[in-house]
Amino acid sequence: GEYDAAGPLLDSALAVRRRTGASDAVALAEGLVERGAFAYDLGEYEQALELQQEALDRYRSEIEGDDQRVADAVDWIATTLVDLGRMEEAEALSRESVAVNRRLHGDGPDEALAVALVNLADILRDRGAYDEARELGEEGLAIMRAVHGDVHLEVAWALNQLASTLSRGGSAELAVPLVEEGLAARREIFDGPHVEVAASLGNLANVLRSVGRVDEAEAARREAVAMLREIFPDDHPYVAASVFSLGD
């Protein structure tokens, strides 16, 4: 979560890779994916998409057949398209990433397959396909637990996303223990304010509100808002969304 420190390092690394890109296009593509992910974290979605698309084009010019790096780049583009509101394109690319990961890894357990499954589940949830979203989210979580055990950031992320699907699909009571487990893991792993802790707090606020525990929901949302304002400027999309949810 130390974005001010990370940015110059990623920019320097990408500049070096651009200078040597003619001799190693795959390494350049890897740098573009990393820098695109950073732009995404900052809420700079158009820049993120441009970098990720360039990375994918470079990968495809060098790599034939199924490849994990290509699948990951496709998945990142799908994730970014969601935040740009281009849901139909996002779903198509996310399904492509899942299909490649299944061919590469079978049923796992493999973290990349789990990530692709959870990302597709998130898109389907946002499109109202709750049953399929729940099925994929549960599969992704099970794979993450098989790979990492229970107290791990990727498991906490999968818990948080599945809880969102359950809550929005009408099963908020089932979502509460999942998001509480994810929040506890993130608090254990991170010392102090962190965007992932804030995300769990925000999700906890949502599910608590859904089950009528409004005072607890407000407290969690206020903590999330305060934490995000420590990390990001006030015009960041995460801050705006969290403040809006508190007002709501």
Side-chain angles (χ1 to χ4, degrees), residues 91-136:
E91 181 182 338
L93 287 172
S94 187
R95 288 190 184 278
E96 178 185 343
S97 178
V98 167
V100 172
N101 273 288
R102 286 201 190 279
R103 290 196 295 270
L104 288 170
H105 308 295
D107 293 328
D110 181 86
E111 181 180 312
L113 173 58
V115 169
L117 288 165
V118 174
N119 282 336
L120 177 56
D122 292 351
I123 293 170
L124 293 172
R125 177 190 66 224
D126 290 343
R127 303 200 77 190
Y130 298 118
D131 290 343
E132 186 180 3
R134 178 175 178 173
E135 179 182 339
L136 294 174

Side-chain angles (χ1 to χ4, degrees), residues 15-147:
V16 171
R17 290 187 178 193
R18 283 199 185 280
R19 288 197 295 272
T20 61
S23 61
D24 196 344
V26 171
L28 173 54
E30 290 170 352
L32 288 163
V33 169
E34 290 290 338
R35 187 59 182 82
F38 183 71
Y40 177 88
D41 286 344
L42 296 180
E44 299 167 352
Y45 301 127
E46 292 286 358
Q47 183 188 15
L49 182 61
E50 181 180 335
L51 292 164
Q52 292 155 1
Q53 187 62 58
E54 183 184 352
L56 180 60
D57 292 343
R58 291 182 182 276
Y59 276 139
R60 284 181 163 159
S61 71
E62 298 291 323
I63 298 171
E64 294 183 3
D66 291 335
D67 185 272
Q68 188 63 63
R69 292 162 295 187
V70 175
D72 291 346
V74 168
D75 208 32
W76 261 118
I77 292 172
T79 298
T80 304
L81 288 172
V82 169
D83 288 277
L84 291 170
R86 294 161 61 178
M87 301 301 294
E88 187 172 345
E89 296 170 81
E91 181 182 338
L93 287 172
S94 187
R95 288 190 184 278
E96 178 185 343
S97 178
V98 167
V100 172
N101 273 288
R102 286 201 190 279
R103 290 196 295 270
L104 288 170
H105 308 295
D107 293 328
D110 181 86
E111 181 180 312
L113 173 58
V115 169
L117 288 165
V118 174
N119 282 336
L120 177 56
D122 292 351
I123 293 170
L124 293 172
R125 177 190 66 224
D126 290 343
R127 303 200 77 190
Y130 298 118
D131 290 343
E132 186 180 3
R134 178 175 178 173
E135 179 182 339
L136 294 174
E138 288 174 343
E139 183 184 0
L141 174 60
I143 294 172
M144 282 297 192
R145 287 195 194 276
V147 173

